[in-house]
Amino acid sequence: MTFQLERTYGLRAENWYRPETNLSQLAQQKFFSSEADNQTQMFLDNSNKIASNFFWQTVRNIGVMILSSVYTKTDINGMTGFGNMFLFSENQFSKFLTIERSSWVSSGKKVLDLGAGNGDITEHMRPFFDDVYATELSPKMRKRLASKGYTVLDALEWANTDVKFDLITAFNLLDRHYSPSKLLQDLWNVSHRSNCHVIVSLVLPVSHYVEFNPNGSSTRPDSYLNVQGRTYADHVHHMIVNVFKAANFEVVRWTRLPYLCEGDMNNSAYYLPDAVFLLKPIAPKSTPAQATPKVSEVPEDPIPVPQAPTATHTEL
C-alpha cells in the first residue's frame, strides 16, 4: 500500500517524486520511482513544531543576526543546530540501492559521505555500514560529525586516502563545489580503486554557488556543469549524457526526492527538487587524467543563485 503524506504544511507535494515535465527516453529508462514514507512525515511534523515555537524562533533570529557578522550560515547551523535537512529515510535508501535488509551484513562495510554537513542525512545510511567516513570544510560542522562518531577526513585530501570504500556519496555538493570537474575526477579515482558505486545528488535545474572556496573568496566555481535547457527534465538528461558519461560514470538508476529543510517563522518547512543518481565507474577510453568531464567556461555574468535556505549538506 502506497504511503500518503497527510500533512505538508502549505508545501505542494504533487511532484516531489515525479518530474513535472516529460523525461527523455534515456532518463525515463533509468528512472527509479520513490515514494513518501513515515519518516518523511515525521520530519515535516517536527519541522512544523519547531517553526511554530515563537520563543525558539525569536531566539534563533537574534542568534543568527549576531553570529552572521563573524560566521558563515553553515558554521552558524553547526554551532546552533539550526537548518536540519532531510533527503531520504533508511527504507528509501535501501530500496534505491536494492538492499535486502533481512540479509544485509554491515560488518566491515565502509561509506564515505563528502560534504556531510551536520551528518543528518549521513545518519540514515549508518545502519548499513560498520564505519562511516565524512568530509566537511566547515570547522563547526566537523566537530558535529566527530561527536557522532564519524571518521572525519581532510576535505581537500580525501582522495589520497588508502581506505577502500563500499559506497561514496556526495549529496547536494556538485553544484556547490569550487571545482566540479575535480570532484568528479576524484570520485572516479577513488570509486574505481575501491570498486564501489557512487551516489550524487543535486538540486535541478542546476544553479552553482560556492560558499567555501579554498582558492579565494569567489562564490563562483572554476567551471560550470555542461547542462542545457531550463527544466528539471532537461537537466536530468544532460547530467546523464554530458556530465556523468564524460566523467566515466554509468548511471545505474536515478530517482527524484524532495530535499527538505526545517522551517522558520515564514514557513513550516522548505523544499527543493533533488535528483539522486547511482553511478558506477567505468573504464575510460583514455587515461583518467585525460578523461575529464565536460564543463562550461565561466561566463562573464554569474549564474543566479536560487532563493532558498542554504543547506547544511553543501560544503566541499
Side-chain angles (χ1 to χ4, degrees), residues 15-295:
N15 294 308
W16 279 10
Y17 303 94
R18 302 285 189 279
E20 301 94 330
T21 55
N22 292 334
L23 296 167
S24 69
Q25 183 177 359
L26 175 61
Q28 184 64 55
Q29 290 172 349
K30 300 284 186 178
F31 181 66
F32 176 87
S33 180
S34 296
E35 60 184 31
D37 64 8
N38 189 54
Q39 286 191 17
T40 313
Q41 185 67 72
M42 288 174 60
F43 180 86
L44 289 169
D45 291 343
N46 186 63
S47 179
N48 178 68
K49 183 179 179 180
I50 293 172
S52 301
N53 189 320
F54 180 79
F55 174 78
W56 171 244
Q57 291 299 325
T58 301
V59 172
R60 169 181 179 167
N61 290 341
I62 294 174
V64 170
M65 182 176 62
I66 295 172
L67 295 171
S68 60
S69 62
V70 179
Y71 298 101
T72 66
K73 187 171 184 179
T74 301
D75 279 337
I76 294 172
N77 287 342
M79 289 185 286
T80 61
F82 298 158
N84 293 318
M85 314 298 295
F86 182 89
L87 181 59
F88 52 77
S89 67
E90 294 172 14
N91 285 334
Q92 288 169 332
F93 177 78
S94 62
K95 288 179 180 178
F96 183 59
L97 288 181
T98 64
I99 292 174
E100 280 292 338
R101 301 193 68 174
S102 59
S103 59
W104 179 263
V105 179
S106 61
S107 178
K109 289 184 171 63
K110 300 178 176 64
V111 61
L112 169 62
D113 189 17
L114 302 175
N118 64 5
D120 273 2
I121 294 176
T122 319
E123 196 69 14
H124 292 289
M125 300 189 292
R126 194 169 198 165
F128 305 95
F129 300 92
D130 221 12
D131 299 302
V132 180
Y133 293 75
T135 70
E136 178 56 51
L137 269 179
S138 165
K140 306 301 179 183
M141 289 297 188
R142 286 200 297 270
K143 291 182 179 180
R144 292 281 298 274
L145 294 170
S147 71
K148 294 184 177 183
Y150 303 153
T151 301
V152 182
L153 302 180
D154 188 294
L156 299 178
E157 299 295 332
W158 66 270
N160 297 323
T161 181
D162 294 328
V163 179
K164 290 188 177 181
F165 303 100
D166 296 278
L167 179 69
I168 303 172
T169 62
F171 299 119
N172 301 290
L173 175 62
L174 192 57
D175 55 347
R176 296 295 182 259
H177 199 279
Y178 73 95
S179 180
S181 58
K182 182 182 186 305
L183 176 58
L184 286 166
Q185 186 64 65
D186 287 343
L187 282 169
W188 187 90
N189 288 336
V190 180
S191 63
H192 186 260
R193 184 172 70 239
S194 299
N195 190 28
C196 73
H197 285 84
V198 174
I199 299 179
V200 171
S201 73
L202 71 166
V203 174
L204 298 181
V206 173
S207 184
H208 291 269
Y209 181 82
V210 181
E211 182 176 13
F212 291 95
N213 193 334
N215 296 331
S217 59
S218 175
T219 57
R220 301 166 66 188
D222 62 7
S223 56
Y224 287 84
L225 297 171
N226 185 21
V227 290
Q228 301 163 24
R230 294 181 176 274
T231 68
Y232 181 98
D234 289 338
H235 282 211
V236 166
H237 176 81
H238 288 289
M239 287 297 300
I240 295 172
V241 175
N242 292 356
V243 177
F244 295 132
K245 183 178 180 181
N248 298 309
F249 283 109
E250 174 192 345
V251 175
V252 179
R253 68 183 69 93
W254 73 276
T255 192
R256 174 165 174 154
L257 290 173
Y259 189 31
L260 301 172
C261 177
E262 282 182 358
D264 51 29
M265 286 183 174
N266 298 316
N267 296 283
S268 293
Y270 288 93
Y271 151 77
L272 290 170
D274 243 25
V276 185
F277 299 89
L278 178 64
L279 309 177
K280 176 183 178 180
I282 57 177
K285 295 181 180 179
S286 56
T287 62
Q290 295 171 325
T292 54
K294 293 181 181 179
V295 293

